[in-house]
Amino acid sequence: ANVQFPIDIIGVNSSGPCATEVGINLLDKKLSDFYEVYGASETAGIGWRDHPSKPYTLFPFWQKAIPDTEINRLLADGNLLAFPLQDILHWSQSTQFIVKGRLDLLVQIGGTNVSLSAVRTKLLKHPLVKDAAVRVMRPNEGSRLKAFIVLNNHDYYSSKDVLKEVNQLEITKQLQHYINTHLSTAERPKALTFGLDIPVNNIGKLCDWTV
């Protein structure tokens, strides 16, 4: 839409990634400033930038760490506390970085390391699957993986965001056959949940679901 912002309106994004073209488009529409904050639920803000084309700058209470899968929090007493990073950061300086993508999260299933992102990628290759999320079951659910599946055809669903009974048995059977023939024993989700959208919390971040 051909909309222009009033003077002195500032935008802030801190709840999740923002596509570069979105930020630039907002500035083109005369947004005065657009700030992005990078961080995680476990760390809160780690860095900030004031233009989508710039690297992030560390807040002064963080320091680059070795290994680069961690970051150090500078405590009030001068000590450092290491926190694991959720993403791959490419450092242009000791205080500036760009986000290159998610770290490959590994979990232990039956004594075997399993990549959740690799399992999701394999599920997405099935022609029925539009989107998927993979997590470890909660302790009361079991000790294996579970998957939330969004199908590519809305006609499979009822108005209650669940599969129509006539479709559920056949679709589940097809997906389980694919899982059993394309994924290793440890990679195979033992519970499939279906819905129209991947579960997110009230600020738009991926969240858990029950099986």
Side-chain angles (χ1 to χ4, degrees):
N2 188 22
V3 176
Q4 300 290 310
F5 288 100
I7 193 169
D8 292 335
I9 300 297
I10 294 173
V12 178
N13 177 70
S14 63
S15 60
C18 179
T20 300
E21 57 269 24
V22 172
I24 291 175
N25 186 47
L26 291 172
L27 292 168
D28 287 343
K29 295 183 182 302
K30 305 305 180 183
L31 191 68
S32 179
D33 291 291
F34 181 58
Y35 294 97
E36 294 178 83
V37 178
Y38 169 77
S41 300
E42 298 80 8
T43 59
I46 290 176
W48 66 278
R49 63 183 179 185
D50 59 8
H51 194 279
S53 66
K54 291 184 178 180
Y56 288 94
T57 297
L58 281 180
F59 287 113
F61 41 84
W62 290 105
Q63 291 183 4
K64 182 177 181 291
I66 298 174
D68 56 9
T69 55
E70 296 180 349
I71 191 160
N72 288 328
R73 175 78 181 224
L74 180 61
L75 304 179
D77 61 6
N79 289 320
L80 298 176
L81 181 62
F83 285 83
L85 287 167
Q86 305 299 313
D87 300 289
I88 301 168
L89 304 185
H90 176 75
W91 296 87
S92 54
Q93 300 180 32
S94 62
T95 59
Q96 292 192 324
F97 63 91
I98 58 174
V99 182
K100 300 293 288 185
R102 297 287 291 180
L103 284 166
D104 192 21
L105 181 59
L106 296 179
V107 297
Q108 282 249 326
I109 301 295
T112 301
N113 285 332
V114 175
S115 165
L116 297 184
S117 62
V119 174
R120 177 178 179 269
T121 297
K122 291 179 182 180
L123 291 175
L124 291 175
K125 291 182 179 180
H126 193 283
L128 287 175
V129 178
K130 177 183 178 181
D131 200 358
V134 182
R135 284 180 178 253
V136 179
M137 288 178 168
R138 298 177 182 181
N140 64 313
E141 295 172 340
S143 58
R144 302 295 294 274
L145 298 183
K146 59 183 179 181
F148 192 100
I149 304 292
V150 178
L151 299 173
N152 56 24
N153 189 339
H154 280 198
D155 292 339
Y156 292 137
Y157 297 93
S158 71
S159 59
K160 296 181 180 179
D161 196 18
V162 295
L163 286 182
K164 295 176 182 177
E165 188 174 349
V166 68
N167 295 318
Q168 185 167 357
L169 183 62
E170 180 57 30
I171 289 174
T172 302
K173 182 179 178 181
Q174 288 186 46
L175 288 175
Q176 286 179 336
H177 175 73
Y178 173 83
I179 287 168
N180 290 337
T181 54
H182 290 79
L183 281 74
S184 69
T185 300
E187 290 178 321
R188 295 170 191 167
K190 290 301 181 181
L192 301 179
T193 302
F194 297 92
L196 285 168
D197 297 289
I198 298 296
V200 295
N201 60 21
N202 57 4
I203 61 170
K205 290 189 176 184
L206 296 177
C207 66
D208 202 358
W209 64 92
T210 58
V211 300

